[in-house]
Amino acid sequence: MISLTTASAQPLPFWRTPLQGKSPSAGETSPGFGLPSLTEMRDSARSMKKELAAKKVQAVRERMDALKLMVKIDPKAGLKMTAELAKELKSAVKDYVEAGGKNVTDGEMAMMRRDAKDAREAADTALKGLPAEPTDADGEAVEAEAGAETATVGAEIKRAQAAYAAAFEIADGRDETADRAEALLGAAMVDRGFFEQVKMAVAELKEARDKIKANWTHPRSPDKDDWKAADKEMAELEKAIDMAPTGAPELTSGGASVQA
């Protein structure tokens, strides 16, 4: 974050961070005596819901070894278990989407990566081209060196400071754009991680179902009604994934961390 102190300074977006040697002014910090704002409370609730949804998915994946064993010794019970796990995954997807989660596509991820890279390069270029900030000490040095009148030197310094402020504003805007693009990319990676976990779990459920079908001679093989119930849960799970919204995620003050 690049900071210029102004009389009408607003609280900084949460993704802005001070650059080395810079710090937010008093006007850029949120008031409230340490109390969270309504937006912060909403974001916290969404983050918590995402975290719980991710834990549901993890719990399903941790039961896959038990499912594999059940498929071998009791295919009928194994099929019922696949339906239960599919139902849990569907619930997790529903909760994650309600919390603002997105099923980001490959193309959208590639676009966000490119945008973040381009924005940061533009910001870095603007920052590197920023001249040294003129100060009153510079004016005193010029006056002593050239013997110029105080009013003339003061005018020159003011012009230099105005030019610097204009360049600084441009650099600050590009830095904010880069910060936002990087925050969006980070949020998208979290959302993508969640749905990748879900899809891996779905693949494991399908593998278990295929093994049950192949073992149709087993004395505990499921009947048509068993398959009908299991197929219904699997179809609803896949529909929930397919219907999950895509696109750039909403920026919140936190997010669930999902690992493969």
Side-chain angles (χ1 to χ4, degrees):
M1 191 269 315
I2 307 173
S3 171
L4 279 178
T5 304
T6 63
S8 59
Q10 298 295 318
L12 292 174
F14 75 87
W15 62 82
R16 301 302 303 279
T17 53
L19 292 174
Q20 184 176 1
K22 295 289 181 180
S23 59
S25 67
E28 291 174 331
T29 57
S30 298
F33 307 101
L35 297 176
S37 67
L38 290 176
T39 298
E40 289 170 335
M41 289 190 289
R42 181 205 65 185
D43 290 348
S44 178
R46 286 185 174 183
S47 295
M48 179 63 71
K49 195 167 187 177
K50 281 188 173 184
E51 191 71 42
L52 292 174
K55 287 181 178 178
K56 277 187 181 181
V57 176
Q58 188 61 34
V60 168
R61 298 210 62 201
E62 288 173 355
R63 295 175 64 188
M64 287 303 173
D65 286 340
L67 174 61
K68 292 175 182 178
L69 181 61
M70 187 65 70
V71 166
K72 292 179 180 179
I73 63 177
D74 190 342
K76 185 181 182 76
L79 183 62
K80 184 178 180 181
M81 188 173 177
T82 65
E84 293 171 352
L85 297 180
K87 189 173 183 178
E88 283 293 309
L89 289 173
K90 180 184 68 176
S91 174
V93 170
K94 178 176 177 292
D95 290 346
Y96 199 85
V97 168
E98 287 179 352
K102 302 290 183 69
N103 187 8
V104 187
T105 66
D106 291 343
E108 289 164 346
M109 282 297 301
M111 185 177 297
M112 280 184 272
R113 285 195 181 95
R114 183 200 63 197
D115 289 347
K117 179 176 179 292
D118 291 347
R120 180 51 63 195
E121 288 177 351
D124 288 345
T125 298
L127 288 172
K128 289 176 182 178
L130 199 64
E133 182 177 6
T135 65
D136 291 337
D138 295 329
E140 293 172 2
V142 171
E143 182 181 1
E145 206 176 292
E149 300 226 354
T150 303
T152 303
V153 172
E156 289 295 327
I157 291 300
K158 285 182 178 180
R159 278 194 289 271
Q161 288 176 335
Y164 173 82
F168 202 104
E169 185 176 356
I170 293 172
D172 183 55
R174 291 182 181 177
D175 188 63
E176 180 175 3
T177 298
D179 285 347
R180 182 179 179 85
E182 289 168 349
L184 280 172
L185 177 59
M189 291 175 70
V190 171
D191 281 2
R192 183 146 172 113
F194 172 83
F195 278 97
E196 283 179 347
Q197 287 289 301
V198 171
K199 291 169 186 176
M200 289 169 69
V202 169
E204 290 174 315
L205 291 180
K206 288 183 175 180
E207 182 181 358
R209 284 164 54 91
D210 289 343
K211 289 182 178 179
I212 293 171
K213 285 180 181 178
N215 196 20
W216 60 272
T217 59
H218 194 286
R220 289 287 298 166
S221 181
D223 57 28
K224 289 183 179 180
D225 289 338
D226 296 324
W227 276 107
K228 184 177 180 181
D231 289 346
K232 177 177 178 294
E233 293 296 344
M234 182 61 74
E236 289 182 357
L237 167 58
E238 292 182 319
K239 181 179 179 181
I241 297 171
D242 291 341
M243 295 298 290
T246 60
E250 297 178 26
L251 290 180
T252 61
S253 56
S257 176
V258 185
Q259 297 180 349

